[in-house]
Amino acid sequence: MTRDELLSLDPKVFDNFVLSQDEILSWFSTLNAFWEYSGNPKDPHAKLTTGKCSNGFFDCLRVIQYLNLSRILANQLAKKIRKVIGNTKVDRTIGSPMADIEFAREVGWAIGAKASNFVEKDPKIKGKMVWERMTIPENETVLQIEELTTTAGTLLSVRAAIDESNPTPINWLPVVGILVHRPPKLPAGPYDNRQIISLIEKEIWAVDPPCELCKKGSPRWRPKTHWKELTGKE
């Protein structure tokens, strides 16, 4: 499917259709939102924000920035979650800042949740999340949604912030919905005793430098700022 064909897709067409992981991964490739190391020592590998080296990278925003694709993928994830939780009530979806806020809302809309909320990044402590603007009633069920998970650090920080600051205990559903789950080793999870339900699950490693690729002479590039140098594409 071409880029133009993807961007013209009607979400309603997919209401009764289940996309495979390979089909969704092809969308990411078409929109230049997925890169994987070629195996050639002369080709570059990724330098992550953490400073670690990696052999792959997903840029989910290159896909879910398009509202039709975001809605299709949210519907697909909601269907997959419903197969696991059945008719269990879902009152709220929770997403992490910032990329996941809108996607979590889309999943909430698709699964029948009446509200969607999100935590915020603590401006004082790197990696810490805060929950200050809203309160979740004790009788409501909460579903956590992430657009991308690698090591579950953000996922667990979101839950910790809400558990710490909400005035009443949170009734978390025993699953986490994830658009792209890219752990260093599969199988991975569960995280905090919650089952992983994802649309894409791909093993991609991330290690401290110098990695084996560094030692072979492969240069490192930051994906978000040097996408062209890393992938050879704009």
Side-chain angles (χ1 to χ4, degrees), residues 21-22 25 58 80 149 178-183 185-189 191 196-204:
Q21 171 169 301
D22 287 343
L25 193 55
F58 283 90
K80 204 166 182 179
T149 295
I178 303 173
L179 173 54
V180 176
H181 183 214
R182 44 147 292 174
K185 194 72 176 176
L186 288 172
Y191 296 134
I196 305 297
I197 302 175
S198 60
L199 292 183
I200 293 176
E201 189 166 64
K202 189 168 180 62
E203 187 176 293
I204 294 177

mmCIF file with all atom_site columns, all heavy atoms in Angstrom, residues 21-22 25 58 80 149 178-183 185-189 191 196-204:
data_model
loop_
_atom_site.group_PDB
_atom_site.id
_atom_site.type_symbol
_atom_site.label_atom_id
_atom_site.label_alt_id
_atom_site.label_comp_id
_atom_site.label_asym_id
_atom_site.label_entity_id
_atom_site.label_seq_id
_atom_site.pdbx_PDB_ins_code
_atom_site.Cartn_x
_atom_site.Cartn_y
_atom_site.Cartn_z
_atom_site.occupancy
_atom_site.B_iso_or_equiv
_atom_site.pdbx_formal_charge
_atom_site.auth_seq_id
_atom_site.auth_comp_id
_atom_site.auth_asym_id
_atom_site.auth_atom_id
_atom_site.pdbx_PDB_model_num
ATOM 1   N N   . GLN A 1 21  ? 0.049  -8.256  12.540 1.00 0.00 ? 21  GLN A N   1
ATOM 2   C CA  . GLN A 1 21  ? 1.224  -7.470  12.913 1.00 0.00 ? 21  GLN A CA  1
ATOM 3   C C   . GLN A 1 21  ? 2.025  -7.084  11.668 1.00 0.00 ? 21  GLN A C   1
ATOM 4   O O   . GLN A 1 21  ? 2.502  -5.945  11.557 1.00 0.00 ? 21  GLN A O   1
ATOM 5   C CB  . GLN A 1 21  ? 2.105  -8.251  13.883 1.00 0.00 ? 21  GLN A CB  1
ATOM 6   C CG  . GLN A 1 21  ? 3.456  -7.562  14.138 1.00 0.00 ? 21  GLN A CG  1
ATOM 7   C CD  . GLN A 1 21  ? 4.231  -8.172  15.281 1.00 0.00 ? 21  GLN A CD  1
ATOM 8   O OE1 . GLN A 1 21  ? 3.762  -8.213  16.396 1.00 0.00 ? 21  GLN A OE1 1
ATOM 9   N NE2 . GLN A 1 21  ? 5.445  -8.652  14.993 1.00 0.00 ? 21  GLN A NE2 1
ATOM 10  N N   . ASP A 1 22  ? 2.183  -8.006  10.739 1.00 0.00 ? 22  ASP A N   1
ATOM 11  C CA  . ASP A 1 22  ? 2.953  -7.713  9.527  1.00 0.00 ? 22  ASP A CA  1
ATOM 12  C C   . ASP A 1 22  ? 2.317  -6.582  8.712  1.00 0.00 ? 22  ASP A C   1
ATOM 13  O O   . ASP A 1 22  ? 3.026  -5.742  8.146  1.00 0.00 ? 22  ASP A O   1
ATOM 14  C CB  . ASP A 1 22  ? 3.084  -8.964  8.662  1.00 0.00 ? 22  ASP A CB  1
ATOM 15  C CG  . ASP A 1 22  ? 4.050  -9.982  9.249  1.00 0.00 ? 22  ASP A CG  1
ATOM 16  O OD1 . ASP A 1 22  ? 4.838  -9.599  10.132 1.00 0.00 ? 22  ASP A OD1 1
ATOM 17  O OD2 . ASP A 1 22  ? 4.000  -11.152 8.840  1.00 0.00 ? 22  ASP A OD2 1
ATOM 18  N N   . LEU A 1 25  ? 3.002  -3.359  10.599 1.00 0.00 ? 25  LEU A N   1
ATOM 19  C CA  . LEU A 1 25  ? 4.418  -3.039  10.463 1.00 0.00 ? 25  LEU A CA  1
ATOM 20  C C   . LEU A 1 25  ? 4.711  -2.483  9.071  1.00 0.00 ? 25  LEU A C   1
ATOM 21  O O   . LEU A 1 25  ? 5.547  -1.574  8.919  1.00 0.00 ? 25  LEU A O   1
ATOM 22  C CB  . LEU A 1 25  ? 5.256  -4.296  10.722 1.00 0.00 ? 25  LEU A CB  1
ATOM 23  C CG  . LEU A 1 25  ? 6.758  -4.112  10.922 1.00 0.00 ? 25  LEU A CG  1
ATOM 24  C CD1 . LEU A 1 25  ? 7.056  -3.121  12.036 1.00 0.00 ? 25  LEU A CD1 1
ATOM 25  C CD2 . LEU A 1 25  ? 7.406  -5.461  11.223 1.00 0.00 ? 25  LEU A CD2 1
ATOM 26  N N   . PHE A 1 58  ? 11.435 2.807   16.390 1.00 0.00 ? 58  PHE A N   1
ATOM 27  C CA  . PHE A 1 58  ? 10.080 3.124   15.933 1.00 0.00 ? 58  PHE A CA  1
ATOM 28  C C   . PHE A 1 58  ? 9.793  4.584   16.249 1.00 0.00 ? 58  PHE A C   1
ATOM 29  O O   . PHE A 1 58  ? 10.079 5.044   17.355 1.00 0.00 ? 58  PHE A O   1
ATOM 30  C CB  . PHE A 1 58  ? 9.038  2.269   16.657 1.00 0.00 ? 58  PHE A CB  1
ATOM 31  C CG  . PHE A 1 58  ? 8.943  0.858   16.175 1.00 0.00 ? 58  PHE A CG  1
ATOM 32  C CD1 . PHE A 1 58  ? 9.717  -0.140  16.754 1.00 0.00 ? 58  PHE A CD1 1
ATOM 33  C CD2 . PHE A 1 58  ? 8.072  0.506   15.159 1.00 0.00 ? 58  PHE A CD2 1
ATOM 34  C CE1 . PHE A 1 58  ? 9.624  -1.456  16.323 1.00 0.00 ? 58  PHE A CE1 1
ATOM 35  C CE2 . PHE A 1 58  ? 7.967  -0.800  14.718 1.00 0.00 ? 58  PHE A CE2 1
ATOM 36  C CZ  . PHE A 1 58  ? 8.743  -1.780  15.301 1.00 0.00 ? 58  PHE A CZ  1
ATOM 37  N N   . LYS A 1 80  ? -8.506 -6.082  20.444 1.00 0.00 ? 80  LYS A N   1
ATOM 38  C CA  . LYS A 1 80  ? -7.602 -7.088  21.005 1.00 0.00 ? 80  LYS A CA  1
ATOM 39  C C   . LYS A 1 80  ? -7.733 -7.131  22.532 1.00 0.00 ? 80  LYS A C   1
ATOM 40  O O   . LYS A 1 80  ? -7.697 -8.203  23.136 1.00 0.00 ? 80  LYS A O   1
ATOM 41  C CB  . LYS A 1 80  ? -6.167 -6.756  20.591 1.00 0.00 ? 80  LYS A CB  1
ATOM 42  C CG  . LYS A 1 80  ? -5.236 -7.947  20.582 1.00 0.00 ? 80  LYS A CG  1
ATOM 43  C CD  . LYS A 1 80  ? -3.947 -7.628  19.852 1.00 0.00 ? 80  LYS A CD  1
ATOM 44  C CE  . LYS A 1 80  ? -3.037 -8.852  19.806 1.00 0.00 ? 80  LYS A CE  1
ATOM 45  N NZ  . LYS A 1 80  ? -1.776 -8.588  19.091 1.00 0.00 ? 80  LYS A NZ  1
ATOM 46  N N   . THR A 1 149 ? 6.561  1.029   24.203 1.00 0.00 ? 149 THR A N   1
ATOM 47  C CA  . THR A 1 149 ? 7.188  0.575   25.446 1.00 0.00 ? 149 THR A CA  1
ATOM 48  C C   . THR A 1 149 ? 8.428  -0.233  25.106 1.00 0.00 ? 149 THR A C   1
ATOM 49  O O   . THR A 1 149 ? 8.386  -1.131  24.267 1.00 0.00 ? 149 THR A O   1
ATOM 50  C CB  . THR A 1 149 ? 6.222  -0.290  26.279 1.00 0.00 ? 149 THR A CB  1
ATOM 51  O OG1 . THR A 1 149 ? 5.124  0.514   26.708 1.00 0.00 ? 149 THR A OG1 1
ATOM 52  C CG2 . THR A 1 149 ? 6.913  -0.853  27.507 1.00 0.00 ? 149 THR A CG2 1
ATOM 53  N N   . ILE A 1 178 ? -0.692 -1.606  24.341 1.00 0.00 ? 178 ILE A N   1
ATOM 54  C CA  . ILE A 1 178 ? 0.493  -0.953  23.784 1.00 0.00 ? 178 ILE A CA  1
ATOM 55  C C   . ILE A 1 178 ? 0.462  -1.042  22.264 1.00 0.00 ? 178 ILE A C   1
ATOM 56  O O   . ILE A 1 178 ? 0.244  -2.121  21.697 1.00 0.00 ? 178 ILE A O   1
ATOM 57  C CB  . ILE A 1 178 ? 1.789  -1.614  24.308 1.00 0.00 ? 178 ILE A CB  1
ATOM 58  C CG1 . ILE A 1 178 ? 1.827  -1.585  25.843 1.00 0.00 ? 178 ILE A CG1 1
ATOM 59  C CG2 . ILE A 1 178 ? 3.020  -0.918  23.737 1.00 0.00 ? 178 ILE A CG2 1
ATOM 60  C CD1 . ILE A 1 178 ? 2.992  -2.373  26.431 1.00 0.00 ? 178 ILE A CD1 1
ATOM 61  N N   . LEU A 1 179 ? 0.675  0.077   21.597 1.00 0.00 ? 179 LEU A N   1
ATOM 62  C CA  . LEU A 1 179 ? 0.740  0.073   20.142 1.00 0.00 ? 179 LEU A CA  1
ATOM 63  C C   . LEU A 1 179 ? 1.980  -0.684  19.667 1.00 0.00 ? 179 LEU A C   1
ATOM 64  O O   . LEU A 1 179 ? 1.884  -1.617  18.871 1.00 0.00 ? 179 LEU A O   1
ATOM 65  C CB  . LEU A 1 179 ? 0.754  1.511   19.609 1.00 0.00 ? 179 LEU A CB  1
ATOM 66  C CG  . LEU A 1 179 ? 0.983  1.703   18.107 1.00 0.00 ? 179 LEU A CG  1
ATOM 67  C CD1 . LEU A 1 179 ? -0.005 0.904   17.274 1.00 0.00 ? 179 LEU A CD1 1
ATOM 68  C CD2 . LEU A 1 179 ? 0.926  3.182   17.741 1.00 0.00 ? 179 LEU A CD2 1
ATOM 69  N N   . VAL A 1 180 ? 3.160  -0.284  20.146 1.00 0.00 ? 180 VAL A N   1
ATOM 70  C CA  . VAL A 1 180 ? 4.422  -0.944  19.782 1.00 0.00 ? 180 VAL A CA  1
ATOM 71  C C   . VAL A 1 180 ? 5.159  -1.358  21.043 1.00 0.00 ? 180 VAL A C   1
ATOM 72  O O   . VAL A 1 180 ? 5.547  -0.511  21.849 1.00 0.00 ? 180 VAL A O   1
ATOM 73  C CB  . VAL A 1 180 ? 5.322  -0.025  18.930 1.00 0.00 ? 180 VAL A CB  1
ATOM 74  C CG1 . VAL A 1 180 ? 6.656  -0.715  18.654 1.00 0.00 ? 180 VAL A CG1 1
ATOM 75  C CG2 . VAL A 1 180 ? 4.643  0.351   17.623 1.00 0.00 ? 180 VAL A CG2 1
ATOM 76  N N   . HIS A 1 181 ? 5.362  -2.636  21.207 1.00 0.00 ? 181 HIS A N   1
ATOM 77  C CA  . HIS A 1 181 ? 6.130  -3.182  22.334 1.00 0.00 ? 181 HIS A CA  1
ATOM 78  C C   . HIS A 1 181 ? 7.447  -3.696  21.776 1.00 0.00 ? 181 HIS A C   1
ATOM 79  O O   . HIS A 1 181 ? 7.456  -4.633  20.975 1.00 0.00 ? 181 HIS A O   1
ATOM 80  C CB  . HIS A 1 181 ? 5.331  -4.311  22.987 1.00 0.00 ? 181 HIS A CB  1
ATOM 81  C CG  . HIS A 1 181 ? 5.988  -4.899  24.190 1.00 0.00 ? 181 HIS A CG  1
ATOM 82  N ND1 . HIS A 1 181 ? 5.879  -6.227  24.522 1.00 0.00 ? 181 HIS A ND1 1
ATOM 83  C CD2 . HIS A 1 181 ? 6.742  -4.336  25.159 1.00 0.00 ? 181 HIS A CD2 1
ATOM 84  C CE1 . HIS A 1 181 ? 6.539  -6.456  25.634 1.00 0.00 ? 181 HIS A CE1 1
ATOM 85  N NE2 . HIS A 1 181 ? 7.084  -5.328  26.037 1.00 0.00 ? 181 HIS A NE2 1
ATOM 86  N N   . ARG A 1 182 ? 8.555  -3.048  22.175 1.00 0.00 ? 182 ARG A N   1
ATOM 87  C CA  . ARG A 1 182 ? 9.858  -3.405  21.587 1.00 0.00 ? 182 ARG A CA  1
ATOM 88  C C   . ARG A 1 182 ? 10.886 -3.694  22.678 1.00 0.00 ? 182 ARG A C   1
ATOM 89  O O   . ARG A 1 182 ? 11.866 -2.963  22.852 1.00 0.00 ? 182 ARG A O   1
ATOM 90  C CB  . ARG A 1 182 ? 10.341 -2.287  20.651 1.00 0.00 ? 182 ARG A CB  1
ATOM 91  C CG  . ARG A 1 182 ? 10.172 -0.878  21.167 1.00 0.00 ? 182 ARG A CG  1
ATOM 92  C CD  . ARG A 1 182 ? 11.263 0.044   20.692 1.00 0.00 ? 182 ARG A CD  1
ATOM 93  N NE  . ARG A 1 182 ? 12.539 -0.313  21.294 1.00 0.00 ? 182 ARG A NE  1
ATOM 94  C CZ  . ARG A 1 182 ? 13.698 0.261   20.970 1.00 0.00 ? 182 ARG A CZ  1
ATOM 95  N NH1 . ARG A 1 182 ? 13.744 1.216   20.066 1.00 0.00 ? 182 ARG A NH1 1
ATOM 96  N NH2 . ARG A 1 182 ? 14.821 -0.111  21.550 1.00 0.00 ? 182 ARG A NH2 1
ATOM 97  N N   . PRO A 1 183 ? 10.674 -4.768  23.430 1.00 0.00 ? 183 PRO A N   1
ATOM 98  C CA  . PRO A 1 183 ? 11.613 -5.104  24.507 1.00 0.00 ? 183 PRO A CA  1
ATOM 99  C C   . PRO A 1 183 ? 12.919 -5.657  23.959 1.00 0.00 ? 183 PRO A C   1
ATOM 100 O O   . PRO A 1 183 ? 12.983 -6.113  22.811 1.00 0.00 ? 183 PRO A O   1
ATOM 101 C CB  . PRO A 1 183 ? 10.855 -6.180  25.285 1.00 0.00 ? 183 PRO A CB  1
ATOM 102 C CG  . PRO A 1 183 ? 10.055 -6.868  24.236 1.00 0.00 ? 183 PRO A CG  1
ATOM 103 C CD  . PRO A 1 183 ? 9.623  -5.779  23.291 1.00 0.00 ? 183 PRO A CD  1
ATOM 104 N N   . LYS A 1 185 ? 14.270 -8.368  24.847 1.00 0.00 ? 185 LYS A N   1
ATOM 105 C CA  . LYS A 1 185 ? 14.183 -9.831  24.785 1.00 0.00 ? 185 LYS A CA  1
ATOM 106 C C   . LYS A 1 185 ? 12.723 -10.260 24.873 1.00 0.00 ? 185 LYS A C   1
ATOM 107 O O   . LYS A 1 185 ? 11.965 -9.741  25.688 1.00 0.00 ? 185 LYS A O   1
ATOM 108 C CB  . LYS A 1 185 ? 14.975 -10.456 25.944 1.00 0.00 ? 185 LYS A CB  1
ATOM 109 C CG  . LYS A 1 185 ? 15.231 -11.948 25.787 1.00 0.00 ? 185 LYS A CG  1
ATOM 110 C CD  . LYS A 1 185 ? 16.260 -12.224 24.708 1.00 0.00 ? 185 LYS A CD  1
ATOM 111 C CE  . LYS A 1 185 ? 16.581 -13.716 24.637 1.00 0.00 ? 185 LYS A CE  1
ATOM 112 N NZ  . LYS A 1 185 ? 17.511 -14.039 23.520 1.00 0.00 ? 185 LYS A NZ  1
ATOM 113 N N   . LEU A 1 186 ? 12.335 -11.159 24.001 1.00 0.00 ? 186 LEU A N   1
ATOM 114 C CA  . LEU A 1 186 ? 10.982 -11.724 24.024 1.00 0.00 ? 186 LEU A CA  1
ATOM 115 C C   . LEU A 1 186 ? 11.057 -13.195 24.425 1.00 0.00 ? 186 LEU A C   1
ATOM 116 O O   . LEU A 1 186 ? 12.012 -13.880 24.072 1.00 0.00 ? 186 LEU A O   1
ATOM 117 C CB  . LEU A 1 186 ? 10.339 -11.606 22.641 1.00 0.00 ? 186 LEU A CB  1
ATOM 118 C CG  . LEU A 1 186 ? 9.917  -10.202 22.213 1.00 0.00 ? 186 LEU A CG  1
ATOM 119 C CD1 . LEU A 1 186 ? 9.474  -10.204 20.755 1.00 0.00 ? 186 LEU A CD1 1
ATOM 120 C CD2 . LEU A 1 186 ? 8.792  -9.678  23.111 1.00 0.00 ? 186 LEU A CD2 1
ATOM 121 N N   . PRO A 1 187 ? 10.073 -13.704 25.176 1.00 0.00 ? 187 PRO A N   1
ATOM 122 C CA  . PRO A 1 187 ? 8.901  -12.970 25.673 1.00 0.00 ? 187 PRO A CA  1
ATOM 123 C C   . PRO A 1 187 ? 9.266  -12.036 26.819 1.00 0.00 ? 187 PRO A C   1
ATOM 124 O O   . PRO A 1 187 ? 10.226 -12.290 27.554 1.00 0.00 ? 187 PRO A O   1
ATOM 125 C CB  . PRO A 1 187 ? 7.967  -14.086 26.135 1.00 0.00 ? 187 PRO A CB  1
ATOM 126 C CG  . PRO A 1 187 ? 8.895  -15.204 26.513 1.00 0.00 ? 187 PRO A CG  1
ATOM 127 C CD  . PRO A 1 187 ? 10.049 -15.124 25.553 1.00 0.00 ? 187 PRO A CD  1
ATOM 128 N N   . ALA A 1 188 ? 8.487  -10.963 26.971 1.00 0.00 ? 188 ALA A N   1
ATOM 129 C CA  . ALA A 1 188 ? 8.708  -9.994  28.043 1.00 0.00 ? 188 ALA A CA  1
ATOM 130 C C   . ALA A 1 188 ? 7.409  -9.783  28.799 1.00 0.00 ? 188 ALA A C   1
ATOM 131 O O   . ALA A 1 188 ? 6.330  -10.025 28.286 1.00 0.00 ? 188 ALA A O   1
ATOM 132 C CB  . ALA A 1 188 ? 9.183  -8.666  27.456 1.00 0.00 ? 188 ALA A CB  1
ATOM 133 N N   . GLY A 1 189 ? 7.542  -9.272  30.034 1.00 0.00 ? 189 GLY A N   1
ATOM 134 C CA  . GLY A 1 189 ? 6.362  -9.023  30.837 1.00 0.00 ? 189 GLY A CA  1
ATOM 135 C C   . GLY A 1 189 ? 5.947  -10.291 31.560 1.00 0.00 ? 189 GLY A C   1
ATOM 136 O O   . GLY A 1 189 ? 6.602  -11.325 31.473 1.00 0.00 ? 189 GLY A O   1
ATOM 137 N N   . TYR A 1 191 ? 4.168  -6.734  33.140 1.00 0.00 ? 191 TYR A N   1
ATOM 138 C CA  . TYR A 1 191 ? 4.712  -5.595  33.865 1.00 0.00 ? 191 TYR A CA  1
ATOM 139 C C   . TYR A 1 191 ? 3.800  -5.279  35.036 1.00 0.00 ? 191 TYR A C   1
ATOM 140 O O   . TYR A 1 191 ? 2.628  -4.976  34.863 1.00 0.00 ? 191 TYR A O   1
ATOM 141 C CB  . TYR A 1 191 ? 4.832  -4.380  32.951 1.00 0.00 ? 191 TYR A CB  1
ATOM 142 C CG  . TYR A 1 191 ? 5.804  -4.569  31.805 1.00 0.00 ? 191 TYR A CG  1
ATOM 143 C CD1 . TYR A 1 191 ? 5.468  -4.203  30.515 1.00 0.00 ? 191 TYR A CD1 1
ATOM 144 C CD2 . TYR A 1 191 ? 7.075  -5.107  32.020 1.00 0.00 ? 191 TYR A CD2 1
ATOM 145 C CE1 . TYR A 1 191 ? 6.364  -4.357  29.455 1.00 0.00 ? 191 TYR A CE1 1
ATOM 146 C CE2 . TYR A 1 191 ? 7.969  -5.270  30.968 1.00 0.00 ? 191 TYR A CE2 1
ATOM 147 C CZ  . TYR A 1 191 ? 7.609  -4.894  29.695 1.00 0.00 ? 191 TYR A CZ  1
ATOM 148 O OH  . TYR A 1 191 ? 8.494  -5.065  28.656 1.00 0.00 ? 191 TYR A OH  1
ATOM 149 N N   . ILE A 1 196 ? 0.552  -7.827  28.864 1.00 0.00 ? 196 ILE A N   1
ATOM 150 C CA  . ILE A 1 196 ? 0.823  -6.954  27.736 1.00 0.00 ? 196 ILE A CA  1
ATOM 151 C C   . ILE A 1 196 ? -0.075 -7.347  26.559 1.00 0.00 ? 196 ILE A C   1
ATOM 152 O O   . ILE A 1 196 ? -0.116 -8.509  26.166 1.00 0.00 ? 196 ILE A O   1
ATOM 153 C CB  . ILE A 1 196 ? 2.287  -7.064  27.280 1.00 0.00 ? 196 ILE A CB  1
ATOM 154 C CG1 . ILE A 1 196 ? 3.242  -6.793  28.436 1.00 0.00 ? 196 ILE A CG1 1
ATOM 155 C CG2 . ILE A 1 196 ? 2.552  -6.118  26.101 1.00 0.00 ? 196 ILE A CG2 1
ATOM 156 C CD1 . ILE A 1 196 ? 3.157  -5.432  29.008 1.00 0.00 ? 196 ILE A CD1 1
ATOM 157 N N   . ILE A 1 197 ? -0.775 -6.363  26.014 1.00 0.00 ? 197 ILE A N   1
ATOM 158 C CA  . ILE A 1 197 ? -1.554 -6.574  24.802 1.00 0.00 ? 197 ILE A CA  1
ATOM 159 C C   . ILE A 1 197 ? -1.090 -5.531  23.791 1.00 0.00 ? 197 ILE A C   1
ATOM 160 O O   . ILE A 1 197 ? -1.290 -4.328  24.001 1.00 0.00 ? 197 ILE A O   1
ATOM 161 C CB  . ILE A 1 197 ? -3.066 -6.433  25.057 1.00 0.00 ? 197 ILE A CB  1
ATOM 162 C CG1 . ILE A 1 197 ? -3.517 -7.434  26.123 1.00 0.00 ? 197 ILE A CG1 1
ATOM 163 C CG2 . ILE A 1 197 ? -3.849 -6.641  23.759 1.00 0.00 ? 197 ILE A CG2 1
ATOM 164 C CD1 . ILE A 1 197 ? -4.962 -7.277  26.525 1.00 0.00 ? 197 ILE A CD1 1
ATOM 165 N N   . SER A 1 198 ? -0.438 -5.960  22.725 1.00 0.00 ? 198 SER A N   1
ATOM 166 C CA  . SER A 1 198 ? 0.157  -5.014  21.783 1.00 0.00 ? 198 SER A CA  1
ATOM 167 C C   . SER A 1 198 ? -0.217 -5.361  20.348 1.00 0.00 ? 198 SER A C   1
ATOM 168 O O   . SER A 1 198 ? -0.573 -6.500  20.042 1.00 0.00 ? 198 SER A O   1
ATOM 169 C CB  . SER A 1 198 ? 1.679  -4.997  21.928 1.00 0.00 ? 198 SER A CB  1
ATOM 170 O OG  . SER A 1 198 ? 2.220  -6.277  21.663 1.00 0.00 ? 198 SER A OG  1
ATOM 171 N N   . LEU A 1 199 ? -0.115 -4.365  19.464 1.00 0.00 ? 199 LEU A N   1
ATOM 172 C CA  . LEU A 1 199 ? -0.344 -4.593  18.040 1.00 0.00 ? 199 LEU A CA  1
ATOM 173 C C   . LEU A 1 199 ? 0.937  -5.002  17.326 1.00 0.00 ? 199 LEU A C   1
ATOM 174 O O   . LEU A 1 199 ? 0.914  -5.785  16.388 1.00 0.00 ? 199 LEU A O   1
ATOM 175 C CB  . LEU A 1 199 ? -0.924 -3.331  17.388 1.00 0.00 ? 199 LEU A CB  1
ATOM 176 C CG  . LEU A 1 199 ? -2.333 -2.943  17.810 1.00 0.00 ? 199 LEU A CG  1
ATOM 177 C CD1 . LEU A 1 199 ? -2.808 -1.726  17.022 1.00 0.00 ? 199 LEU A CD1 1
ATOM 178 C CD2 . LEU A 1 199 ? -3.314 -4.100  17.629 1.00 0.00 ? 199 LEU A CD2 1
ATOM 179 N N   . ILE A 1 200 ? 2.064  -4.429  17.763 1.00 0.00 ? 200 ILE A N   1
ATOM 180 C CA  . ILE A 1 200 ? 3.375  -4.809  17.235 1.00 0.00 ? 200 ILE A CA  1
ATOM 181 C C   . ILE A 1 200 ? 4.248  -5.211  18.414 1.00 0.00 ? 200 ILE A C   1
ATOM 182 O O   . ILE A 1 200 ? 4.346  -4.486  19.400 1.00 0.00 ? 200 ILE A O   1
ATOM 183 C CB  . ILE A 1 200 ? 4.045  -3.654  16.468 1.00 0.00 ? 200 ILE A CB  1
ATOM 184 C CG1 . ILE A 1 200 ? 3.278  -3.329  15.181 1.00 0.00 ? 200 ILE A CG1 1
ATOM 185 C CG2 . ILE A 1 200 ? 5.494  -3.996  16.134 1.00 0.00 ? 200 ILE A CG2 1
ATOM 186 C CD1 . ILE A 1 200 ? 3.838  -2.139  14.427 1.00 0.00 ? 200 ILE A CD1 1
ATOM 187 N N   . GLU A 1 201 ? 4.867  -6.365  18.318 1.00 0.00 ? 201 GLU A N   1
ATOM 188 C CA  . GLU A 1 201 ? 5.811  -6.818  19.344 1.00 0.00 ? 201 GLU A CA  1
ATOM 189 C C   . GLU A 1 201 ? 7.065  -7.302  18.636 1.00 0.00 ? 201 GLU A C   1
ATOM 190 O O   . GLU A 1 201 ? 7.032  -8.301  17.905 1.00 0.00 ? 201 GLU A O   1
ATOM 191 C CB  . GLU A 1 201 ? 5.206  -7.922  20.198 1.00 0.00 ? 201 GLU A CB  1
ATOM 192 C CG  . GLU A 1 201 ? 6.057  -8.276  21.404 1.00 0.00 ? 201 GLU A CG  1
ATOM 193 C CD  . GLU A 1 201 ? 5.300  -9.119  22.407 1.00 0.00 ? 201 GLU A CD  1
ATOM 194 O OE1 . GLU A 1 201 ? 4.920  -10.251 22.041 1.00 0.00 ? 201 GLU A OE1 1
ATOM 195 O OE2 . GLU A 1 201 ? 5.075  -8.662  23.537 1.00 0.00 ? 201 GLU A OE2 1
ATOM 196 N N   . LYS A 1 202 ? 8.149  -6.564  18.837 1.00 0.00 ? 202 LYS A N   1
ATOM 197 C CA  . LYS A 1 202 ? 9.383  -6.874  18.102 1.00 0.00 ? 202 LYS A CA  1
ATOM 198 C C   . LYS A 1 202 ? 10.575 -6.729  19.045 1.00 0.00 ? 202 LYS A C   1
ATOM 199 O O   . LYS A 1 202 ? 10.704 -5.729  19.754 1.00 0.00 ? 202 LYS A O   1
ATOM 200 C CB  . LYS A 1 202 ? 9.543  -5.928  16.910 1.00 0.00 ? 202 LYS A CB  1
ATOM 201 C CG  . LYS A 1 202 ? 10.674 -6.321  15.975 1.00 0.00 ? 202 LYS A CG  1
ATOM 202 C CD  . LYS A 1 202 ? 10.615 -5.540  14.683 1.00 0.00 ? 202 LYS A CD  1
ATOM 203 C CE  . LYS A 1 202 ? 11.732 -5.916  13.734 1.00 0.00 ? 202 LYS A CE  1
ATOM 204 N NZ  . LYS A 1 202 ? 11.676 -7.330  13.318 1.00 0.00 ? 202 LYS A NZ  1
ATOM 205 N N   . GLU A 1 203 ? 11.435 -7.703  19.021 1.00 0.00 ? 203 GLU A N   1
ATOM 206 C CA  . GLU A 1 203 ? 12.620 -7.704  19.869 1.00 0.00 ? 203 GLU A CA  1
ATOM 207 C C   . GLU A 1 203 ? 13.678 -6.769  19.299 1.00 0.00 ? 203 GLU A C   1
ATOM 208 O O   . GLU A 1 203 ? 14.168 -6.979  18.188 1.00 0.00 ? 203 GLU A O   1
ATOM 209 C CB  . GLU A 1 203 ? 13.157 -9.134  19.973 1.00 0.00 ? 203 GLU A CB  1
ATOM 210 C CG  . GLU A 1 203 ? 14.280 -9.306  20.963 1.00 0.00 ? 203 GLU A CG  1
ATOM 211 C CD  . GLU A 1 203 ? 14.693 -10.762 21.093 1.00 0.00 ? 203 GLU A CD  1
ATOM 212 O OE1 . GLU A 1 203 ? 13.875 -11.561 21.596 1.00 0.00 ? 203 GLU A OE1 1
ATOM 213 O OE2 . GLU A 1 203 ? 15.819 -11.099 20.669 1.00 0.00 ? 203 GLU A OE2 1
ATOM 214 N N   . ILE A 1 204 ? 14.022 -5.736  20.055 1.00 0.00 ? 204 ILE A N   1
ATOM 215 C CA  . ILE A 1 204 ? 15.051 -4.770  19.654 1.00 0.00 ? 204 ILE A CA  1
ATOM 216 C C   . ILE A 1 204 ? 15.908 -4.471  20.876 1.00 0.00 ? 204 ILE A C   1
ATOM 217 O O   . ILE A 1 204 ? 15.393 -4.069  21.911 1.00 0.00 ? 204 ILE A O   1
ATOM 218 C CB  . ILE A 1 204 ? 14.422 -3.471  19.104 1.00 0.00 ? 204 ILE A CB  1
ATOM 219 C CG1 . ILE A 1 204 ? 13.671 -3.772  17.799 1.00 0.00 ? 204 ILE A CG1 1
ATOM 220 C CG2 . ILE A 1 204 ? 15.483 -2.400  18.879 1.00 0.00 ? 204 ILE A CG2 1
ATOM 221 C CD1 . ILE A 1 204 ? 12.961 -2.567  17.210 1.00 0.00 ? 204 ILE A CD1 1
#
